[in-house]
Amino acid sequence: MTTTPTPAWNRQRPSGMPSHRYSDAYARVEVPLADVERRWPNRRITTAPLWVPVDLRDGNQALAEPMDPARKRRFFELMVRMGYTEIEVGYPSASQTDYDFVRLIADSDLAPDDVTIVVFTPARRDLIERTVAAIRGIRNEVVIHMYTATAPVWRTTVLEKDRDELRDLILAGGRDVWELAGHLPNVRFEFSPEVFNLTEPDYVIEVCDAITKLWQASPERPVILNLPATVEIATPNVYADQIEFMHTHLAHRDGVILSVHPHNDRGTGIACAELAVLAGAQRVEGCIFGNGERTGNVDIATLALNLHAQGIDPMIDFSDIDDIRRTVEYCNRIDVHPRHPYVGDLVHTAFSGTHQDAIKKGFAEHRARAAAEGRDQREIAWRVPYLPIDPADIGRSYDAVIRVNSQSGKGGIAYLLETEYGIVLPRRLQIDFSRHVQRHTDTTGEEVTADAIWSLFTEVYMSDPQHSSIGLEAVHIDEGNATTEVIVRVDDQVQRSTHAGLGPVEAAVCALAGCGIDLAILSLHQSSLTTGADAEAVTLIEYRDADGPAWVAGRDRSTLAATLQAVARAADRVSAHRRVTAAVL
């Protein structure tokens, strides 16, 4: 393989790793590259393929502790509830547990009538016989899935057969399947040339065409040809080229359901599956959340929700994804990673300040647009930045969308106070308070909860100087004559004054001025505190002190009392040298 020279701006050095020991895909298998036939790059996915979960067979084989019957049943029932209508349930010739589970389906009503049961077998007569015995009496449609590895290394090293000998072995297995189950009207057939992606294209075509002819593939009784990327070895476009070659060159194509089964050795299983669907695949085998040998099978939950995020019905119900996750984790005894697409605990969570600010503004726009259109927020188009889908679509709340740590900014802090406590912080107060939160998180190095943010807010803006000396009381308000009577207490002195033509706040400021306390109020904002059984009023006041603009807040069941409390607190802070006893009604 020719190495492209490294540009001068790239100062990476050779790693010293023995990469020369490995060959790229093009050196290992012939890859169809006829550009005139490559149509998949111009296609779009417009409908969901048939999803076939293989958690109970392929996924189960990859578990350190395979599922017991109770876990298998619970997992199967979950998949039925979600809407899967074709489920691979086991490898009945491999273990008594798998055999017994298939017999449970045969002897009970565990599987609804519209669910097709898939069972797995190698191309060996005694194992095929055991498999057919397991499905006997099942009323549902059944697929017998036969497999054999076909790639050159597997042929020579594992099976010790040449191309002709292996083809004969596969066809012998196919004849056994046909002999034992071909007469059963509810049974169809599937063949997987395992390690398809490393098998010569002409050989795969030869074997697949022979097996579909043997099994009399037709539109009325289609044969599934499943083409696994058993071990990922190339970029996803190579797999797409291989699938499109099969799609366009198979005989009996109208009697074939073209299926794919990508693994995830390169971390591109999802991309391989999506491109394979563009290339002609109609059916995708995988595991919910991707459990499987090595780095896993393709994650069919992510694939389905990728369609949902593009406006395409995935045909599977993920509206309670946390319940799905709990069940899968219980059955597999494997935790789902917090950053796993869609289902992870942190996938809808923003810690970054810029992300939080954009999400906060996106939510505000979403609410405003719903109100303007007179529609429910769940009905209108979703376009909140950084959130590809509405968390509510999959049963998630918005509680964890924004969480605050040392990387967070004013938007996230304001969002938490608004959603948890109902307080809408003006932008300038957001900026001021974020500095206090930043100092706190820098000191502790920890994430802060909404409750901790509220505690810090009250400490910063609702605490009084150590020796507070100012109290305000509006004892009489005559709205008809537009007069307000105010009592100011400064230290032990009480002064009563009446102010014509002024509201309570202006009257309080004038009364303070009469006591020698000059207070300049720059802005005033009021909201309701939604925590607790009884809502309280909160007044936010921006005032000017010796260092410039500053903020205080007041809180009380009465809006007027909360406002006068905030005014008195501001006055106290500009006169912090005086001894204060606040008496705000």
Side-chain angles (χ1 to χ4, degrees):
M1 182 176 65
T2 303
T3 303
T4 303
T6 303
W9 48 261
N10 184 346
R11 292 185 283 184
Q12 294 177 157
R13 303 181 186 87
S15 68
M17 296 183 67
S19 303
H20 62 277
R21 299 179 59 210
Y22 305 97
S23 302
D24 67 12
Y26 298 93
R28 300 174 69 183
V29 65
E30 178 190 346
V31 177
L33 292 173
D35 288 340
V36 294
E37 296 184 7
R38 185 183 285 122
R39 297 171 184 157
W40 62 262
N42 296 322
R43 296 198 181 107
R44 296 182 181 181
I45 299 176
T46 57
T47 188
L50 175 62
W51 309 112
V52 182
V54 296
D55 298 81
L56 299 181
R57 194 275 303 172
D58 200 342
N60 192 46
Q61 289 175 236
L63 296 175
E65 298 179 63
M67 283 178 265
D68 55 35
R71 281 178 164 81
K72 272 206 145 190
R73 178 167 187 155
R74 183 168 171 179
F75 209 144
F76 181 82
E77 290 171 340
L78 169 71
M79 292 187 282
V80 169
R81 287 198 307 273
M82 293 173 68
Y84 290 106
T85 57
E86 190 163 317
I87 302 170
E88 190 165 271
V89 298
Y91 192 159
S93 65
S95 74
Q96 190 63 43
T97 300
D98 274 24
Y99 184 90
D100 290 344
F101 187 72
V102 177
R103 291 310 306 157
L104 174 65
I105 292 172
D107 297 335
S108 70
D109 59 358
L110 185 61
D113 292 342
D114 63 347
V115 173
T116 298
I117 302 301
V118 185
V119 289
F120 192 70
T121 182
R124 208 176 88 188
R125 185 175 179 89
D126 60 326
L127 303 181
I128 294 169
E129 288 174 340
R130 177 77 167 162
T131 302
V132 173
I135 66 166
R136 200 172 307 280
I138 293 181
R139 298 176 297 279
N140 301 68
E141 282 198 9
V142 175
V143 171
I144 296 177
H145 180 182
M146 188 184 80
Y147 80 98
T148 305
T150 55
V153 172
W154 276 254
R155 292 198 305 260
T156 58
T157 303
V158 181
L159 301 173
E160 298 180 339
K161 295 185 182 297
D162 62 23
R163 285 173 54 138
D164 291 340
E165 290 171 329
L166 184 62
R167 184 194 61 238
D168 292 344
L169 181 151
I170 292 169
L171 291 178
R175 282 190 290 272
D176 291 335
V177 169
W178 186 254
E179 174 192 336
L180 296 167
H183 64 286
L184 300 174
N186 64 324
V187 175
R188 292 185 290 113
F189 308 105
E190 175 179 356
F191 174 63
S192 286
E194 191 188 358
V195 210
F196 154 79
N197 57 323
L198 272 171
T199 304
E200 308 92 327
D202 67 309
Y203 186 59
V204 181
I205 287 286
E206 177 187 340
V207 171
C208 287
D209 283 350
I211 202 76
T212 52
K213 181 178 180 181
L214 173 63
W215 285 343
Q216 301 180 19
S218 68
E220 294 74 32
R221 196 182 189 184
V223 167
I224 300 163
L225 290 178
N226 185 55
L227 307 176
T230 307
V231 180
E232 274 200 305
I233 50 90
T235 50
N237 60 294
V238 172
Y239 190 53
D241 284 337
Q242 293 172 318
I243 297 300
E244 188 164 67
F245 179 81
M246 297 295 291
H247 171 58
T248 56
H249 288 78
L250 280 170
H252 316 294
R253 183 65 185 88
D254 63 345
V256 167
I257 298 170
L258 195 60
S259 177
V260 292
H261 183 118
H263 279 248
N264 197 43
D265 300 87
R266 293 168 55 92
T268 58
I270 289 170
C272 280
E274 291 180 327
L275 297 191
V277 171
L278 292 176
Q282 302 155 293
R283 178 181 182 271
V284 177
E285 294 185 355
C287 290
I288 302 171
F289 308 141
N291 173 56
E293 295 283 11
R294 305 180 308 279
T295 55
N297 291 315
V298 70
D299 177 352
I300 56 174
T302 297
L303 282 169
L305 287 168
N306 283 353
L307 293 186
H308 173 71
Q310 295 293 305
I312 300 166
D313 186 349
M315 310 298 284
I316 301 295
D317 184 2
F318 290 93
S319 60
D320 190 352
I321 202 165
D322 288 330
D323 178 64
I324 295 167
R325 184 188 67 182
R326 285 191 294 269
T327 301
V328 173
E329 288 179 330
Y330 167 78
C331 294
N332 286 343
R333 299 181 176 93
I334 297 174
D335 291 338
V336 171
H337 193 279
R339 295 292 184 188
H340 194 108
Y342 299 106
V343 67
D345 282 336
L346 296 178
V347 295
H348 299 122
T349 302
F351 289 103
S352 161
T354 54
H355 290 205
Q356 292 175 343
D357 188 57
I359 291 170
K360 175 179 177 291
K361 291 173 179 174
F363 273 127
E365 187 278 336
H366 188 79
R367 290 191 296 269
R369 182 158 40 92
E373 296 178 13
R375 299 168 64 194
D376 189 277
Q377 292 182 37
R378 293 293 308 279
E379 295 177 353
I380 65 171
W382 179 258
R383 55 192 191 208
V384 174
Y386 294 112
L387 295 176
I389 67 169
D390 184 347
D393 287 351
I394 53 176
R396 290 277 177 84
S397 71
Y398 301 126
D399 292 346
V401 168
I402 288 177
R403 290 165 57 179
V404 172
N405 63 12
S406 61
Q407 304 299 309
S408 306
K410 61 184 185 301
I413 295 163
Y415 174 86
L416 287 182
L417 287 179
E418 182 176 350
T419 55
E420 295 296 323
Y421 292 94
I423 298 177
V424 179
L425 299 188
R427 178 173 173 77
R428 292 190 299 279
L429 179 52
Q430 292 179 31
I431 296 169
D432 187 81
F433 184 45
S434 67
R435 291 194 289 265
H436 294 279
V437 176
Q438 185 72 47
R439 280 196 295 270
H440 175 83
T441 54
D442 284 345
T443 301
T444 64
E446 297 175 349
E447 179 186 349
V448 287
T449 63
D451 287 346
I453 290 172
W454 172 245
S455 295
L456 184 60
F457 183 87
T458 58
E459 177 186 331
V460 172
Y461 300 110
M462 295 187 189
S463 63
D464 294 315
Q466 185 176 4
H467 300 292
S468 59
S469 63
I470 299 175
L472 281 174
E473 182 180 349
V475 295
H476 180 69
I477 300 174
D478 186 347
E479 296 181 356
N481 296 318
T483 60
T484 303
E485 186 176 354
V486 178
I487 296 175
V488 180
R489 296 187 180 93
V490 180
D491 296 327
D492 295 326
Q493 303 299 311
V494 177
Q495 183 168 321
R496 185 186 296 261
S497 57
T498 301
H499 306 269
L502 299 179
V505 175
E506 295 170 299
V509 171
C510 286
L512 287 166
C515 298
I517 302 170
D518 292 326
L519 177 64
I521 293 180
L522 306 179
S523 64
L524 183 149
H525 307 267
Q526 293 176 330
S527 60
S528 294
L529 187 64
T530 56
T531 186
D534 298 317
E536 291 183 290
V538 173
T539 298
L540 309 171
I541 285 181
E542 183 183 21
Y543 66 98
R544 189 180 305 281
D545 68 9
D547 298 321
W551 290 84
V552 290
R555 172 184 176 184
D556 196 274
R557 294 282 299 277
S558 161
T559 300
L560 176 59
T563 301
L564 291 177
Q565 184 187 110
V567 172
R569 188 162 285 137
D572 236 343
R573 293 190 182 193
V574 298
S575 304
H577 62 285
R578 299 189 182 188
R579 190 169 181 275
V580 182
T581 40
V584 179
L585 302 178

